[in-house]
Amino acid sequence: MGHFEMIDLVSVIDACTSDRVAGHCVSMARAVEELRVLTGDFVSPDETVANALSAVALGRGCAVVFDERAGADILLTP
């Protein structure tokens, strides 16, 4: 999980999880931005932040949408 506190990661995932017909879904674009605001870390690469958040999201049974890059539409499900 890198240098991020677990409580921060869980808080962001909980705040960014959307209920959908297919289950819980987390937008990485939104989650990455929320974690940056929460922690003040605007230096870590997006990939590092998204990897830490996606591991927590998948562990909590959420589908993850990697939409932080233009044209990206990769979906991971637990």
Side-chain angles (χ1 to χ4, degrees), residues 18 20-28 54 57-58 61-69 71-78:
S18 301
R20 303 276 188 229
V21 175
H24 301 294
C25 184
V26 178
S27 160
M28 277 298 110
S54 63
L58 290 169
C62 300
V64 177
V65 179
F66 290 97
D67 56 351
E68 69 272 4
R69 293 188 189 116
D73 59 357
I74 299 168
L75 175 68
L76 293 180
T77 56

Side-chain angles (χ1 to χ4, degrees), residues 5-77:
E5 296 291 330
M6 183 59 72
I7 189 69
D8 292 338
L9 295 170
V10 170
S11 295
V12 168
I13 294 303
D14 286 348
C16 294
T17 299
S18 301
D19 288 328
R20 303 276 188 229
V21 175
H24 301 294
C25 184
V26 178
S27 160
M28 277 298 110
R30 180 175 173 213
V32 166
E33 192 60 33
E34 290 290 327
L35 186 64
R36 290 191 186 290
V37 170
L38 178 67
T39 63
D41 179 350
F42 296 95
V43 180
S44 295
D46 285 350
E47 183 177 306
T48 301
V49 179
N51 285 341
L53 287 163
S54 63
V56 172
L58 290 169
R60 295 177 66 81
C62 300
V64 177
V65 179
F66 290 97
D67 56 351
E68 69 272 4
R69 293 188 189 116
D73 59 357
I74 299 168
L75 175 68
L76 293 180
T77 56

